[in-house]
Amino acid sequence: MDRFLDKIFLLRRAPEADWPRWKRAAYAAWPIFLLACASVCMGLLLLVFAYGQYSWGAFLEYFTSPALMALNILPVAFLIFLFYGLTGRAWLAFLLGGGAALGFSLGNYYKLSFRDDPLYMEDIFLNLREAAAMATGQHYDLFMDKRVATALICWLGGTLVLFFLVRGRLRGWKGRGTALVVTVAAGAALTPLYLDEDTYDSVGSYEILNQWSATQNYIAHGFFYPFLHSVTEFVESAPEGYSAEEAEALLSQYQDADIPEDKKVNVISIMREAYADFSQFDIPGLDGSGYDLYHSLEAESYHGTLLTNIFAGGTVDSERCFLTGDYQVKNFRSATNSYLWYLRDQGYTVEGSHPYYQWFYNRQNINSYLGFERYRFYEGDYEKLTSAALPEDSVLYQEVYQDFVANKATGKPYFSFNLTVQSHGPYYTDAYYGQYEYLTGDYSDECKNAMNNYMNAIMQGDAALMELVDQLRADEDPVVLVVFSDHMPWMGDSNVFYEELGLDIDPGTEAGFRNHYSTEYLIWANDAAKAVLEEDFTGEGPTISPCYLMNLVFDLCSWDGPAFMQAMDEMMEVFPVVTTHDCYVVDGVFTDAIPQERQDLFRDFLYLQYYWRSEFLFEEVLG
């Protein structure tokens, strides 16, 4: 075999001293050329794992974007050439570098298969225990299918081909060092491209996949590209001067407090999709009487205004700020501190419902990280209860009540968090599908149709909510009901209908900012809860950020709560509104900058918030 291969100069183990320059150059370029070809083939091959168990069409879509393919192939080439510089042998570089790339791809493939959740950079660092469980089969049974078998055969076959076709090697530290430097330099030069948000948003194949699903959005970008880009979500910059020890010392000034047994009332919370009380604005032609039911509930509740981080979308921001106490949220990839974990530690059943797809905002996985024991979704559940694409609030609320009643058999106090979806946009502009017209007057047909469709949906929701309230009112067990909204509704491209309605939503002014980001909240209690807690649950509450809403609930229930909440109670007195848009309410004054005399206290706020997001404190509850 050696004698035969030596007849072809490119396949010799070493160049001859008397070779001409062109021949030596061709001999040196030969392994680079073959490794580049092998890298491209391996990168293309690994794309068969990127789409998981979704349609084969998703794989074919990758080939419609040369830029997307290149961004997924280059990391594979980087790994292979990195090992070429380390080992000097092409076949070994392909075996090790290609094997590493295959390993990452398989990890993503199995994670998609088991949990419909892709592999993020953060998983490598924070979910080692889960990864070990997957690898050992502790929770999941790894499988061999045609894709896996084909990839393994091609990887080993490619290694064998390179073993025979590239018999020479990089000799000496200069040759290998040069290869390493060039490879690392190329990787460093490309890093900004992989992290750039504009590039990421502009490259993606959505013909088959849904960009609003976190998982499908990831898949639409392949695997290696979104995996590397996910470092932008993993890396959260600590506040300037942050010290974990100092933050821990700040938190240690407070002590977790148990909920007294005789004060453990049930809490049902509902976040209503895009609910806005337009009757508070002077809109000509708008019949505000439709809000009479909601206003009657407000009158017997503790109620106020939320100033959120979001407008017309981004539901999970308000949702997760409420559940965690964080004023800004991150891409949760592991168990994270929340008030749900605290309630579980206090013996509560913690569950909820959202009659929509579990993949939306990756709730099927993230809700467990937040501490939910059970969560009901559209798939296999609400889809059996209604044929509506956006299940009605009336269906949801009755299931919420039945779950509350069912929990009584456990003897445990109950907490649930539920999201409506009936009033989700877009609101049809081609026709109005209700009967009563809430908006009339000199507006475009599109504006009136959208507004009337929206109002019709939320008025139906109000009627359903009052049915739930009446059930809770008659229930002998103490119940506190928390109702709030995530954000203002979406009203046409560029929200042109707000302009037509005469609403100032310019966030550059205080009035516009408040209109842009304001929603409502109310906290209501039945007579049994009022008697137990000795609180009437009425009155006007403060304007706050969603991260403080649970503080108000605990305060009305006379619960001190965990140490973090106690610290935030004091912060709320000074900073009741803290947004991600650098707008605040400080000592009752709306401002775009923290006053000098409050800088030190706000630094403590940021330290405590970052520590709470970064250091999981409920390991015993997690088990």
Side-chain angles (χ1 to χ4, degrees), residues 49-67:
F49 297 117
Y51 64 96
Q53 302 302 322
Y54 286 84
S55 166
W56 170 254
F59 173 73
L60 297 179
E61 279 296 314
Y62 296 143
F63 290 84
T64 64
S65 173

Side-chain angles (χ1 to χ4, degrees), residues 218-353:
Y218 188 109
I219 290 172
H221 292 86
F223 165 59
F224 278 103
Y225 179 30
F227 174 68
L228 294 174
H229 182 77
S230 71
V231 73
T232 60
E233 300 180 23
F234 167 44
V235 177
E236 180 186 3
S237 299
E240 184 178 354
Y242 174 78
S243 161
E245 292 76 16
E246 185 175 349
E248 185 177 9
L250 288 170
L251 191 61
S252 68
Q253 298 175 31
Y254 310 87
Q255 297 297 319
D256 292 345
D258 292 331
I259 299 174
E261 288 298 325
D262 62 345
K263 300 289 186 182
K264 286 186 176 178
V265 300
N266 305 288
V267 178
I268 295 175
S269 53
I270 296 171
M271 189 173 78
R272 303 183 68 181
E273 171 63 37
Y275 189 90
D277 183 358
F278 281 110
S279 69
Q280 65 184 299
F281 305 109
D282 185 18
I283 300 176
L286 178 69
D287 183 356
S289 64
Y291 289 99
D292 287 350
L293 283 177
Y294 182 77
H295 291 161
S296 69
L297 182 59
E298 270 189 327
E300 55 178 300
S301 303
Y302 186 82
H303 61 92
T305 300
L306 293 179
L307 265 178
T308 71
N309 294 321
I310 53 177
F311 174 76
T315 294
V316 289
D317 191 281
S318 298
E319 168 186 345
R320 291 166 185 168
C321 285
F322 168 64
L323 296 173
T324 65
D326 293 327
Y327 88 98
Q328 63 178 12
V329 295
K330 62 178 184 178
N331 181 30
F332 302 105
R333 305 302 307 163
S334 61
T336 189
N337 291 320
S338 74
Y339 298 132
L340 304 179
W341 290 110
Y342 168 79
L343 289 167
R344 284 178 61 174
D345 184 50
Q346 296 297 304
Y348 273 71
T349 297
V350 175
E351 58 185 29
S353 280

